[in-house]
Coordinates of all heavy atoms in Angstrom, one line a residue:
M7 N 104.2 116.4 121.0 CA 105.3 115.6 120.4 C 105.6 114.4 121.1 O 105.4 114.3 122.3 CB 106.5 116.5 120.4 CG 106.4 117.7 119.5 SD 106.3 117.3 117.7 CE 108.1 117.4 117.3
S8 N 106.0 113.3 120.4 CA 106.4 112.0 121.1 C 107.7 111.7 120.4 O 108.1 112.1 119.3 CB 105.4 111.0 120.8 OG 104.3 111.3 121.5
K9 N 108.4 110.8 121.0 CA 109.6 110.2 120.5 C 109.3 108.9 119.8 O 108.4 108.1 120.4 CB 110.7 109.9 121.6 CG 111.1 111.1 122.4 CD 112.3 111.7 121.7 CE 112.8 112.9 122.7 NZ 113.5 113.9 121.8
L10 N 109.9 108.6 118.6 CA 109.7 107.5 117.9 C 111.0 107.0 117.3 O 111.7 107.8 116.8 CB 108.7 107.7 116.7 CG 108.6 106.6 115.7 CD1 108.0 105.4 116.3 CD2 107.7 107.1 114.5
T11 N 111.4 105.8 117.6 CA 112.5 105.2 117.0 C 112.3 104.1 116.0 O 111.5 103.1 116.3 CB 113.5 104.6 118.1 OG1 113.9 105.7 119.0 CG2 114.7 104.0 117.5
I12 N 112.6 104.3 114.8 CA 112.5 103.3 113.8 C 113.8 102.7 113.4 O 114.8 103.4 113.0 CB 111.9 103.9 112.5 CG1 110.6 104.6 112.8 CG2 111.6 102.7 111.5 CD1 109.9 105.4 111.6
V13 N 114.1 101.4 113.7 CA 115.3 100.7 113.5 C 115.3 100.1 112.1 O 114.5 99.2 111.9 CB 115.6 99.7 114.6 CG1 117.0 99.1 114.4 CG2 115.5 100.3 116.0
A14 N 116.2 100.6 111.2 CA 116.3 100.0 109.9 C 116.8 98.6 110.0 O 117.4 98.2 111.0 CB 117.1 100.8 109.0
F15 N 116.7 97.8 108.9 CA 117.0 96.4 108.8 C 118.5 96.3 109.2 O 119.0 95.3 109.7 CB 116.7 95.7 107.6 CG 117.0 94.3 107.6 CD1 116.3 93.3 108.4 CD2 118.1 93.8 106.8 CE1 116.6 92.0 108.5 CE2 118.4 92.4 106.9 CZ 117.7 91.6 107.7
D16 N 119.3 97.2 108.7 CA 120.8 97.1 109.0 C 121.2 97.6 110.4 O 122.3 97.7 110.7 CB 121.6 98.0 107.9 CG 121.4 99.5 108.1 OD1 120.6 99.9 109.0 OD2 121.9 100.2 107.3
G17 N 120.3 97.9 111.2 CA 120.5 98.3 112.6 C 120.5 99.7 112.9 O 120.7 100.2 114.0
T18 N 120.5 100.6 111.8 CA 120.6 102.1 112.0 C 119.3 102.5 112.7 O 118.2 102.1 112.3 CB 120.6 102.7 110.6 OG1 121.7 102.2 109.8 CG2 120.7 104.2 110.8
R19 N 119.6 103.2 113.8 CA 118.4 103.8 114.6 C 118.0 105.2 114.1 O 118.9 106.0 113.9 CB 118.8 103.9 116.0 CG 119.0 102.6 116.7 CD 119.4 102.8 118.2 NE 118.5 103.4 119.0 CZ 117.6 102.8 119.7 NH1 117.6 101.5 119.7 NH2 116.7 103.4 120.5
N20 N 116.8 105.3 113.8 CA 116.3 106.7 113.4 C 115.5 107.2 114.5 O 114.3 106.7 114.7 CB 115.4 106.6 112.1 CG 116.2 106.0 110.9 OD1 116.8 106.8 110.2 ND2 116.1 104.7 110.7
D21 N 116.0 108.1 115.3 CA 115.3 108.7 116.4 C 114.6 109.9 116.1 O 115.3 110.9 115.7 CB 116.3 109.0 117.5 CG 117.0 107.7 118.1 OD1 116.3 106.7 118.4 OD2 118.3 107.7 118.2
L22 N 113.3 109.9 116.1 CA 112.5 111.0 115.5 C 111.6 111.6 116.6 O 111.2 111.0 117.6 CB 111.6 110.5 114.4 CG 112.2 109.6 113.3 CD1 111.2 109.0 112.4 CD2 113.2 110.4 112.6
D23 N 111.5 113.0 116.5 CA 110.4 113.7 117.3 C 109.3 113.8 116.4 O 109.3 114.5 115.3 CB 111.0 115.1 117.7 CG 112.0 115.0 118.7 OD1 111.9 114.2 119.7 OD2 113.1 115.6 118.5
V24 N 108.1 113.3 116.7 CA 107.0 113.3 115.9 C 105.8 113.9 116.5 O 105.6 113.8 117.8 CB 106.7 111.8 115.5 CG1 107.9 111.2 114.7 CG2 106.2 110.9 116.5
A25 N 104.8 114.3 115.7 CA 103.6 114.9 116.2 C 102.6 113.9 116.5 O 102.5 112.9 115.7 CB 103.0 115.9 115.1
N26 N 101.9 114.0 117.7 CA 100.9 113.1 118.0 C 99.8 113.2 116.9 O 99.5 114.2 116.4 CB 100.3 113.4 119.3 CG 101.2 113.0 120.5 OD1 102.2 112.2 120.2 ND2 101.0 113.5 121.7
G27 N 99.2 112.0 116.7 CA 98.1 112.0 115.5 C 98.7 111.6 114.2 O 97.9 111.2 113.3
T28 N 100.0 111.7 114.0 CA 100.6 111.2 112.8 C 100.8 109.6 112.9 O 100.9 109.1 114.1 CB 101.9 111.9 112.5 OG1 102.8 111.6 113.5 CG2 101.7 113.4 112.3
T29 N 101.0 109.0 111.8 CA 101.2 107.5 111.9 C 102.8 107.2 111.8 O 103.5 108.1 111.3 CB 100.5 106.8 110.7 OG1 101.2 107.1 109.5 CG2 99.0 107.1 110.8
V30 N 103.1 106.1 112.2 CA 104.5 105.6 112.1 C 104.9 105.6 110.7 O 106.0 106.1 110.4 CB 104.6 104.2 112.8 CG1 106.0 103.6 112.5 CG2 104.4 104.3 114.3
M31 N 104.0 105.1 109.8 CA 104.4 105.2 108.4 C 104.7 106.6 107.9 O 105.7 106.8 107.2 CB 103.3 104.5 107.6 CG 103.4 104.5 106.1 SD 103.1 106.0 105.2 CE 101.3 105.9 105.1
E32 N 103.8 107.5 108.2 CA 104.0 108.9 107.7 C 105.4 109.4 108.1 O 106.1 110.1 107.4 CB 103.0 109.7 108.2 CG 101.6 109.6 107.6 CD 100.5 110.3 108.3 OE1 100.6 110.6 109.5 OE2 99.4 110.4 107.7
N33 N 105.7 109.1 109.4 CA 107.0 109.6 109.9 C 108.2 108.9 109.2 O 109.3 109.6 109.0 CB 107.0 109.5 111.4 CG 106.1 110.6 112.0 OD1 106.3 111.8 111.9 ND2 105.0 110.0 112.6
A34 N 108.1 107.6 108.9 CA 109.2 106.9 108.3 C 109.4 107.5 106.8 O 110.5 107.7 106.5 CB 108.7 105.5 108.2
V35 N 108.3 107.7 106.1 CA 108.3 108.2 104.8 C 109.0 109.6 104.8 O 109.9 110.0 104.0 CB 107.0 108.2 104.1 CG1 107.1 109.0 102.8 CG2 106.6 106.8 103.9
R36 N 108.4 110.5 105.7 CA 108.9 111.9 105.8 C 110.4 112.0 106.1 O 111.1 112.9 105.6 CB 108.1 112.5 106.8 CG 108.1 114.0 106.8 CD 107.1 114.6 107.9 NE 105.7 114.3 107.5 CZ 104.7 114.2 108.4 NH1 104.9 114.3 109.7 NH2 103.5 114.0 107.9
N37 N 110.9 111.0 106.8 CA 112.3 111.1 107.2 C 113.1 110.1 106.4 O 114.3 109.8 106.7 CB 112.4 110.7 108.7 CG 111.9 111.8 109.6 OD1 112.6 112.8 109.8 ND2 110.6 111.7 110.0
S38 N 112.5 109.6 105.3 CA 113.3 108.7 104.3 C 114.0 107.5 105.1 O 115.1 107.2 104.6 CB 114.4 109.5 103.6 OG 113.8 110.6 102.9
V39 N 113.3 106.9 106.0 CA 113.7 105.6 106.6 C 113.7 104.6 105.5 O 112.6 104.3 104.9 CB 112.9 105.3 107.8 CG1 113.4 104.0 108.4 CG2 113.0 106.4 108.9
P40 N 114.8 103.9 105.2 CA 114.8 102.9 104.1 C 113.9 101.7 104.6 O 113.9 101.3 105.8 CB 116.2 102.4 104.0 CG 116.9 102.9 105.3 CD 116.1 104.1 105.8
G41 N 113.2 101.0 103.6 CA 112.5 99.8 103.9 C 111.0 99.9 104.2 O 110.3 99.0 104.2
I42 N 110.5 101.2 104.2 CA 109.1 101.4 104.3 C 108.6 102.0 103.0 O 108.9 103.1 102.6 CB 108.7 102.4 105.5 CG1 109.2 101.9 106.8 CG2 107.2 102.7 105.6 CD1 108.6 100.6 107.4
E43 N 107.9 101.1 102.3 CA 107.5 101.6 100.9 C 106.2 102.3 100.9 O 105.9 103.3 100.2 CB 107.5 100.4 99.9 CG 108.9 99.8 99.8 CD 108.9 98.5 99.1 OE1 107.9 98.0 98.6 OE2 110.0 97.8 99.2
A44 N 105.1 101.8 101.7 CA 103.9 102.4 101.8 C 103.2 102.8 100.5 O 102.8 103.9 100.2 CB 104.0 103.7 102.7
E45 N 103.1 101.8 99.6 CA 102.6 102.0 98.2 C 101.2 102.5 98.2 O 100.8 103.3 97.3 CB 102.7 100.7 97.5 CG 104.1 100.4 97.0 CD 104.2 99.0 96.4 OE1 103.2 98.3 96.2 OE2 105.3 98.6 96.2
C46 N 100.3 102.2 99.2 CA 98.9 102.6 99.1 C 98.7 104.0 99.8 O 97.6 104.5 99.9 CB 97.9 101.6 99.7 SG 98.0 101.5 101.5
G47 N 99.7 104.5 100.4 CA 99.6 105.8 101.0 C 98.9 105.8 102.3 O 98.5 106.9 102.8
G48 N 98.8 104.7 103.0 CA 98.2 104.6 104.3 C 96.8 104.2 104.4 O 96.1 104.3 105.4
A49 N 96.3 103.5 103.2 CA 94.9 103.1 103.2 C 94.7 101.7 103.7 O 93.6 101.1 103.6 CB 94.4 103.3 101.8
C50 N 95.7 101.1 104.3 CA 95.7 99.7 104.8 C 95.3 98.7 103.7 O 94.5 97.9 103.7 CB 94.7 99.6 105.9 SG 94.8 98.0 106.9
A51 N 96.0 99.0 102.5 CA 95.6 98.2 101.3 C 96.9 97.7 100.5 O 96.7 97.3 99.4 CB 94.7 99.1 100.3
C52 N 98.0 97.7 101.2 CA 99.2 97.2 100.4 C 100.1 96.3 101.3 O 100.8 95.5 100.7 CB 100.0 98.4 99.8 SG 100.9 99.4 101.1
A53 N 100.2 96.5 102.5 CA 101.1 95.8 103.4 C 102.6 96.0 103.1 O 103.4 95.2 103.5 CB 100.8 94.2 103.4
T54 N 102.9 97.1 102.5 CA 104.4 97.4 102.3 C 104.9 98.4 103.3 O 105.8 99.1 103.0 CB 104.7 97.9 100.8 OG1 103.8 99.2 100.6 CG2 104.2 96.9 99.8
C55 N 104.2 98.6 104.4 CA 104.6 99.4 105.5 C 104.8 98.6 106.8 O 104.7 99.1 107.8 CB 103.6 100.5 105.7 SG 102.0 100.0 106.3
H56 N 105.0 97.3 106.5 CA 105.1 96.3 107.6 C 106.3 96.7 108.5 O 107.4 97.0 108.0 CB 105.2 95.0 106.9 CG 105.5 93.8 107.9 ND1 106.2 92.7 107.5 CD2 105.1 93.6 109.1 CE1 106.3 91.8 108.5 NE2 105.6 92.3 109.5
V57 N 106.0 96.6 109.8 CA 107.1 96.7 110.8 C 106.9 95.7 111.9 O 105.7 95.1 112.1 CB 107.1 98.1 111.5 CG1 107.5 99.2 110.5 CG2 105.8 98.5 112.2
Y58 N 107.9 95.5 112.7 CA 107.8 94.7 114.0 C 107.9 95.7 115.2 O 108.8 96.4 115.2 CB 109.0 93.7 114.1 CG 109.1 92.7 112.9 CD1 110.2 92.8 112.1 CD2 108.1 91.9 112.6 CE1 110.3 91.9 111.0 CE2 108.3 90.9 111.5 CZ 109.4 91.0 110.8 OH 109.5 90.2 109.7
V59 N 106.8 95.6 116.0 CA 106.8 96.5 117.2 C 107.8 95.8 118.1 O 107.8 94.6 118.3 CB 105.4 96.5 117.8 CG1 105.4 97.2 119.1 CG2 104.4 97.2 116.7
D60 N 108.7 96.7 118.7 CA 109.6 96.1 119.7 C 108.9 95.4 120.8 O 107.8 95.7 121.2 CB 110.4 97.4 120.3 CG 111.6 96.9 121.0 OD1 112.7 96.7 120.4 OD2 111.5 96.7 122.3
D61 N 109.4 94.3 121.3 CA 108.9 93.5 122.3 C 108.4 94.3 123.5 O 107.3 94.0 124.1 CB 109.8 92.4 122.7 CG 110.0 91.3 121.7 OD1 109.2 91.2 120.8 OD2 111.1 90.6 121.9
A62 N 109.1 95.2 123.8 CA 108.9 96.1 125.0 C 107.6 96.9 124.8 O 107.0 97.4 125.8 CB 109.9 97.0 125.4
W63 N 107.2 97.1 123.6 CA 106.0 98.0 123.3 C 104.8 97.2 122.8 O 103.8 97.8 122.6 CB 106.4 99.0 122.2 CG 107.2 100.1 122.9 CD1 108.6 100.2 123.0 CD2 106.7 101.3 123.5 NE1 109.0 101.3 123.7 CE2 107.8 102.0 124.0 CE3 105.4 101.7 123.8 CZ2 107.6 103.2 124.8 CZ3 105.3 102.9 124.4 CH2 106.4 103.7 124.9
S64 N 105.0 95.9 122.5 CA 104.0 95.2 121.9 C 102.6 95.2 122.5 O 101.6 95.5 122.0 CB 104.4 93.7 121.7 OG 103.6 93.1 121.0
A65 N 102.6 95.1 123.9 CA 101.3 95.1 124.6 C 100.7 96.5 124.7 O 99.5 96.5 124.6 CB 101.6 94.6 126.1
V66 N 101.5 97.5 124.6 CA 101.0 98.9 124.6 C 100.3 99.2 123.2 O 99.2 99.7 123.2 CB 102.1 99.9 125.0 CG1 101.6 101.3 125.0 CG2 102.8 99.6 126.2
V67 N 101.0 98.8 122.3 CA 100.5 99.1 120.8 C 99.2 98.3 120.6 O 98.3 98.8 120.0 CB 101.6 98.8 119.8 CG1 101.0 98.9 118.4 CG2 102.8 99.8 120.0
G68 N 99.3 97.0 121.1 CA 98.2 96.2 120.9 C 98.1 95.5 119.6 O 99.0 95.7 118.6
P69 N 97.2 94.5 119.4 CA 97.1 93.8 118.1 C 96.4 94.6 117.0 O 95.7 95.6 117.2 CB 96.2 92.6 118.5 CG 95.2 93.2 119.6 CD 96.1 94.3 120.3
P70 N 96.6 94.1 115.7 CA 95.9 94.7 114.7 C 94.4 94.5 114.6 O 93.9 93.5 115.2 CB 96.6 94.0 113.4 CG 97.1 92.7 113.9 CD 97.4 92.9 115.3
E71 N 93.6 95.4 114.0 CA 92.2 95.2 113.8 C 92.0 94.2 112.6 O 93.0 93.9 111.9 CB 91.5 96.5 113.6 CG 91.7 97.4 114.8 CD 90.6 98.4 114.9 OE1 89.8 98.6 114.0 OE2 90.6 99.1 116.0
A72 N 90.8 93.8 112.4 CA 90.5 92.6 111.5 C 91.1 93.0 110.0 O 91.7 92.1 109.4 CB 89.1 92.4 111.4
M73 N 90.8 94.2 109.6 CA 91.1 94.6 108.2 C 92.7 94.6 108.0 O 93.2 94.1 107.0 CB 90.6 96.1 107.9 CG 90.8 96.5 106.5 SD 90.0 98.1 106.3 CE 90.9 98.7 105.0
E74 N 93.4 95.1 109.1 CA 94.9 95.1 109.0 C 95.4 93.7 109.1 O 96.3 93.3 108.4 CB 95.4 96.0 110.2 CG 96.9 96.0 110.3 CD 97.4 96.7 111.5 OE1 96.6 97.5 112.2 OE2 98.6 96.6 111.9
E75 N 94.8 92.9 109.9 CA 95.2 91.5 110.0 C 95.1 90.8 108.7 O 96.0 90.0 108.3 CB 94.4 90.7 111.1 CG 95.1 89.6 111.6 CD 94.5 89.0 112.9 OE1 93.5 89.6 113.4 OE2 94.9 88.0 113.3
D76 N 94.0 91.1 108.0 CA 93.8 90.5 106.6 C 95.0 90.8 105.7 O 95.5 90.1 104.9 CB 92.5 90.9 106.0 CG 91.3 90.1 106.7 OD1 91.6 89.1 107.4 OD2 90.2 90.6 106.5
M77 N 95.3 92.2 105.7 CA 96.4 92.7 104.8 C 97.7 92.1 105.3 O 98.6 91.9 104.3 CB 96.4 94.3 104.9 CG 95.5 95.0 104.1 SD 95.3 94.4 102.4 CE 97.0 94.5 101.8
L78 N 97.9 91.9 106.5 CA 99.2 91.3 107.0 C 99.5 89.9 106.4 O 100.7 89.5 106.4 CB 99.2 91.3 108.5 CG 99.7 92.5 109.2 CD1 99.4 92.4 110.7 CD2 101.2 92.8 109.0
D79 N 98.4 89.3 105.9 CA 98.6 88.0 105.2 C 99.5 88.1 104.0 O 100.1 87.2 103.6 CB 97.3 87.4 104.8 CG 96.5 86.8 106.0 OD1 97.0 86.7 107.1 OD2 95.3 86.6 105.8
F80 N 99.5 89.4 103.5 CA 100.4 89.6 102.3 C 101.8 90.1 102.6 O 102.6 90.3 101.7 CB 99.6 90.6 101.4 CG 98.3 90.2 100.8 CD1 97.1 90.4 101.5 CD2 98.2 89.3 99.8 CE1 95.9 90.1 101.1 CE2 97.0 88.8 99.4 CZ 95.8 89.2 100.0
A81 N 102.1 90.3 103.8 CA 103.4 90.8 104.2 C 104.4 89.6 104.3 O 104.0 88.5 104.4 CB 103.3 91.5 105.6
Y82 N 105.7 90.0 104.2 CA 106.8 89.0 104.2 C 107.2 88.8 105.7 O 107.4 89.7 106.5 CB 107.9 89.7 103.4 CG 109.2 88.9 103.5 CD1 109.5 87.7 102.8 CD2 110.3 89.4 104.3 CE1 110.6 87.0 102.9 CE2 111.5 88.6 104.4 CZ 111.6 87.5 103.7 OH 112.8 86.7 103.7
D83 N 107.4 87.5 106.0 CA 107.9 87.1 107.3 C 107.1 87.7 108.4 O 107.7 88.5 109.3 CB 109.4 87.5 107.4 CG 110.1 86.8 108.6 OD1 109.6 85.9 109.3 OD2 111.2 87.3 109.0
V84 N 105.9 87.5 108.5 CA 105.0 88.0 109.6 C 105.3 87.3 110.9 O 105.4 86.0 111.0 CB 103.5 87.8 109.2 CG1 102.6 88.2 110.3 CG2 103.2 88.6 107.9
R85 N 105.3 88.1 111.9 CA 105.6 87.5 113.3 C 104.5 88.0 114.3 O 103.7 88.9 113.9 CB 107.0 88.1 113.8 CG 108.1 87.6 112.8 CD 109.5 88.2 113.3 NE 110.4 88.1 112.3 CZ 111.7 88.6 112.2 NH1 112.0 89.4 113.2 NH2 112.5 88.3 111.3
P86 N 104.5 87.5 115.5 CA 103.5 88.0 116.4 C 103.4 89.4 116.7 O 102.4 90.0 117.0 CB 103.9 87.2 117.7 CG 104.6 86.0 117.2 CD 105.4 86.5 116.1
T87 N 104.6 90.1 116.5 CA 104.6 91.5 116.8 C 104.5 92.4 115.5 O 104.6 93.6 115.5 CB 106.0 92.0 117.4 OG1 107.0 91.6 116.5 CG2 106.1 91.3 118.8
S88 N 104.1 91.7 114.4 CA 103.9 92.5 113.1 C 102.7 93.4 113.2 O 101.6 93.1 113.7 CB 103.7 91.4 112.0 OG 104.8 90.8 111.7
R89 N 102.9 94.5 112.6 CA 101.9 95.6 112.4 C 102.1 96.3 111.1 O 103.2 96.4 110.6 CB 101.8 96.6 113.6 CG 101.4 96.0 114.9 CD 99.9 95.7 115.0 NE 99.1 96.7 114.5 CZ 98.4 97.7 115.2 NH1 98.5 97.6 116.4 NH2 97.7 98.6 114.6
L90 N 101.1 96.9 110.6 CA 101.2 97.8 109.4 C 101.4 99.2 110.0 O 100.5 99.7 110.8 CB 100.0 97.7 108.5 CG 99.8 96.4 107.8 CD1 98.6 96.4 106.9 CD2 101.0 96.0 107.0
S91 N 102.5 99.8 109.7 CA 102.9 101.1 110.4 C 101.9 102.2 110.0 O 101.9 103.2 110.8 CB 104.3 101.5 110.1 OG 104.5 101.6 108.7
C92 N 101.1 102.2 109.0 CA 100.2 103.2 108.7 C 99.0 103.1 109.7 O 98.2 104.0 109.6 CB 99.7 103.2 107.3 SG 98.7 101.7 106.8
Q93 N 98.9 102.0 110.4 CA 97.7 101.8 111.3 C 98.2 102.1 112.7 O 97.3 101.9 113.6 CB 97.2 100.4 111.2 CG 96.7 100.1 109.8 CD 95.7 101.1 109.3 OE1 94.6 101.3 109.9 NE2 96.0 101.8 108.1
I94 N 99.4 102.6 113.0 CA 99.8 102.9 114.4 C 99.9 104.4 114.4 O 100.8 105.0 113.8 CB 101.2 102.3 114.7 CG1 101.1 100.8 114.5 CG2 101.5 102.6 116.1 CD1 102.5 100.1 114.7
K95 N 99.0 105.0 115.2 CA 98.9 106.4 115.4 C 99.6 106.8 116.6 O 99.4 106.4 117.7 CB 97.5 106.9 115.4 CG 97.3 108.3 114.8 CD 95.8 108.6 114.7 CE 95.4 108.5 113.2 NZ 94.1 109.0 112.9
M96 N 100.6 107.8 116.5 CA 101.4 108.3 117.6 C 100.5 109.0 118.6 O 99.6 109.8 118.2 CB 102.5 109.1 117.2 CG 103.6 108.4 116.3 SD 104.3 107.0 117.3 CE 105.1 107.7 118.6
S97 N 100.9 108.9 119.9 CA 100.0 109.6 121.0 C 101.1 109.6 122.2 O 102.1 109.0 122.2 CB 98.8 108.8 121.3 OG 99.2 107.5 121.9
D98 N 100.6 110.3 123.3 CA 101.4 110.3 124.4 C 101.6 108.9 124.9 O 102.7 108.6 125.5 CB 100.6 111.1 125.5 CG 100.7 112.7 125.3 OD1 101.6 113.0 124.5 OD2 99.9 113.4 125.7
A99 N 100.6 108.0 124.8 CA 100.8 106.7 125.3 C 101.9 105.9 124.6 O 102.5 104.9 125.1 CB 99.5 105.8 125.2
L100 N 102.2 106.4 123.3 CA 103.3 105.7 122.6 C 104.6 106.5 122.6 O 105.5 106.2 121.7 CB 102.8 105.4 121.2 CG 101.6 104.4 121.0 CD1 101.2 104.2 119.5 CD2 101.8 103.2 121.7
D101 N 104.7 107.5 123.4 CA 105.9 108.3 123.5 C 107.1 107.3 123.9 O 107.1 106.6 124.9 CB 105.7 109.4 124.5 CG 106.9 110.3 124.6 OD1 107.7 110.3 123.6 OD2 107.0 111.1 125.5
G102 N 108.1 107.3 122.9 CA 109.2 106.4 123.1 C 109.2 105.1 122.3 O 110.0 104.2 122.4
L103 N 108.1 105.0 121.6 CA 107.9 103.7 120.8 C 109.1 103.4 119.9 O 109.7 104.2 119.3 CB 106.7 103.9 119.8 CG 106.3 102.8 118.9 CD1 105.9 101.5 119.7 CD2 105.2 103.2 117.9
V104 N 109.3 102.0 119.9 CA 110.4 101.5 119.0 C 109.8 100.5 118.1 O 109.1 99.6 118.5 CB 111.6 100.9 119.9 CG1 112.6 100.3 118.9 CG2 112.1 101.9 120.8
V105 N 110.1 100.6 116.8 CA 109.7 99.7 115.8 C 110.9 99.2 114.9 O 111.8 100.0 114.8 CB 108.5 100.1 114.8 CG1 107.2 100.4 115.7 CG2 108.9 101.2 114.0
H106 N 110.8 98.1 114.3 CA 112.0 97.5 113.5 C 111.4 97.2 112.1 O 110.3 96.6 111.9 CB 112.5 96.3 114.2 CG 112.9 96.4 115.6 ND1 114.3 96.6 115.9 CD2 112.2 96.4 116.8 CE1 114.3 96.7 117.3 NE2 113.1 96.6 117.8
V107 N 112.2 97.6 111.1 CA 111.8 97.4 109.7 C 112.3 96.1 109.3 O 113.3 95.6 109.7 CB 112.6 98.5 108.9 CG1 112.3 98.2 107.4 CG2 112.2 99.8 109.2
P108 N 111.4 95.3 108.7 CA 111.8 93.9 108.2 C 112.8 93.9 107.1 O 113.1 95.0 106.5 CB 110.5 93.3 107.8 CG 109.6 94.4 107.4 CD 110.0 95.6 108.2
E109 N 113.3 92.7 106.8 CA 114.3 92.6 105.8 C 113.9 93.0 104.4 O 114.6 93.7 103.7 CB 114.7 91.1 105.6 CG 115.8 90.9 104.6 CD 116.2 89.4 104.6 OE1 115.6 88.5 105.2 OE2 117.2 89.1 103.8
R110 N 112.6 92.9 104.1 CA 112.0 93.4 102.8 C 110.5 93.4 103.0 O 110.0 92.8 103.9 CB 112.4 92.6 101.7 CG 111.9 91.2 101.6 CD 112.3 90.5 100.3 NE 112.1 89.1 100.3 CZ 111.0 88.6 99.8 NH1 109.9 89.4 99.6 NH2 110.8 87.3 99.9
Q111 N 109.9 94.3 102.2 CA 108.4 94.3 102.2 C 107.9 93.2 101.2 O 108.7 92.5 100.5 CB 108.0 95.7 101.7 CG 108.4 96.8 102.7 CD 107.7 96.7 104.1 OE1 106.7 96.0 104.2 NE2 108.3 97.3 105.1
A112 N 106.6 93.1 101.2 CA 106.0 92.0 100.4 C 106.3 92.1 98.9 O 106.5 93.2 98.4 CB 104.5 92.0 100.6
Ligands
FES387 S1 100.8 102.1 103.6 FE1 99.7 100.6 102.5 S2 99.0 99.3 104.2 FE2 100.1 100.8 105.2

């Protein structure tokens, strides 16, 4: 298990205990965190699971791979810390991860 905090656009913190191997998107949907639509179900094909990785975690999470980066072109208000949450898999290394939900999805 790891800790994952998803901060909704209105500032509400969703502090979750999540299983390693699950994605940030899966945990957001499972816990009804507002603002994560995930229309493609995690196939890296919709860009509606866009999040901003907290600055403190950006280097640990790392940059998107090429396919994810291409999809991010379709996301709204992309920033240097933008990632698609279906492509971030929880692990011991990400225990305590904080991500922020954007104002809206694409
Ligand atoms: S759920 Fe569609 S790209 Fe992440």
